[in-house]
């Protein structure tokens, strides 16, 4: 069953069209990857879904409900959370305070405390640094924190924008193994990622974007063996 449906979405930055009739679905429990080059429209698609990018036309349906009537901050309580490109942690707050901010719309103290401990199990390094200011942490640690902060809202749909950007290979492996663990917990994930090899390894299905349009979609396994994808995104001639 489709948890998210993006239907013929057109969006503009001023007079420049960024999305040209994007349509995609994400089924409950899936990891779906959006791959493509710089400027393809991947981040814009996530911004449109999360209410940060106004639509010129088209619709975005989440769990059967049109999201157009909601503001961006209201979507968190609907079950949508985003891990933004560049992490976007609150640099002057501690790790623990950042996690608290992820649960700002909740008032179940016991549940919040339990979820925080669960994040410390998922990301042991965050537990070691729970009193450290987020701005003093490494890029990889900040990525873990941004992901854990989003998870504190108990999302049904997690939007992840370039989680491996700028990270050392060992941390890239850790982030993608964590994505698999999050999926096991029942969270649906829409993943934007330039590392197409890793993205397709962890995904169930994928979409390929070029200049604001979806040019290819299939199961991740099929896309991994598609000649166009191999040449353009996987470095295989």
């Amino acid at each position: 069953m489709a948890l998210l449906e993006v239907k013929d979405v057109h969006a503009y930055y001023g007079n420049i069209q960024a999305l040209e009739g994007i349509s995609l679905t994400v089924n409950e429990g899936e990891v779906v990857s959006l791959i493509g080059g710089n400027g393809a429209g991947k981040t814009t698609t996530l911004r449109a879904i999360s209410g940060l990018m106004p639509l010129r036309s088209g619709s975005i349906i989440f769990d059967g409900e049109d999201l157009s009537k909601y503001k961006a901050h209201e979507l968190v309580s609907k079950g949508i959370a985003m891990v933004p490109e560049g992490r976007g942690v609150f640099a002057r707050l501690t790790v623990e305070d950042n996690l608290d901010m992820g649960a700002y719309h909740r008032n179940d103290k016991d549940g919040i405390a339990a979820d925080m401990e669960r994040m410390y199990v998922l990301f042991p390094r965050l537990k070691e640094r729970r009193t450290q200011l987020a701005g003093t942490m490494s890029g990889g640690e900040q990525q873990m924190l941004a992901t854990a902060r989003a998870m504190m809202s108990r999302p049904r749909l997690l939007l992840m924008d370039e989680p491996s950007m700028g990270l050392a290979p060992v941390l890239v492996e850790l982030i993608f193994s964590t994505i698999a663990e999050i999926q096991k917990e029942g969270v649906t994930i829409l993943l934007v990622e330039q590392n197409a090899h890793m993205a397709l390894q962890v995904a169930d299905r994928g979409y390929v974007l070029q200049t604001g349009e979806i040019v290819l979609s299939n199961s991740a396994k099929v896309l991994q063996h598609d000649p166009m994808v191999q040449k353009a995104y996987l470095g295989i001639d």
Side-chain angles (χ1 to χ4, degrees), residues 56-208:
R56 183 72 59 89
S57 62
S59 61
I60 297 173
I61 310 297
F62 178 70
D63 198 22
E65 188 174 16
D66 191 331
L67 296 183
S68 62
K69 59 186 175 182
Y70 296 104
K71 296 179 180 178
H73 69 274
E74 295 174 322
L75 297 183
V76 177
S77 60
K78 301 298 293 184
I80 300 174
M82 187 167 177
V83 183
E85 181 181 359
R87 295 133 202 166
V89 298
F90 298 105
R92 296 185 180 182
L93 297 182
T94 66
V95 167
E96 195 153 298
D97 288 339
N98 268 266
L99 295 180
D100 273 331
M101 289 296 291
Y104 76 93
H105 69 294
R106 297 171 55 184
N107 54 20
D108 55 324
K109 285 188 176 181
D110 290 343
I112 291 170
D115 284 349
M116 190 173 293
E117 289 306 315
R118 188 165 59 92
M119 290 305 102
Y120 288 146
V121 171
L122 194 61
F123 299 102
R125 204 170 303 187
L126 296 184
K127 186 170 185 177
E128 297 170 7
R129 289 158 171 72
R130 61 197 304 167
T131 60
Q132 185 172 334
L133 295 182
T136 65
M137 294 164 61
S138 70
E141 291 163 348
Q142 289 186 16
Q143 185 62 56
M144 295 175 200
L145 179 57
T147 303
R149 183 185 60 192
M151 288 291 291
M152 286 295 295
S153 70
R154 289 191 175 175
R156 294 181 63 195
L157 174 65
L158 185 64
L159 308 174
M160 303 190 74
D161 194 358
E162 303 285 6
S164 76
M165 181 179 288
L167 300 187
V170 64
L171 290 176
V172 172
E173 293 279 353
L174 177 59
I175 291 297
F176 278 95
S177 66
T178 302
I179 290 171
E181 288 300 315
I182 291 171
Q183 183 189 23
K184 288 178 184 177
E185 294 187 2
V187 179
T188 303
I189 300 171
L190 181 57
L191 170 67
V192 159
E193 180 57 61
Q194 287 217 24
N195 187 333
H197 176 71
M198 294 296 293
L200 293 176
Q201 279 194 334
V202 76
D204 299 292
R205 293 188 299 113
Y207 292 87
V208 180

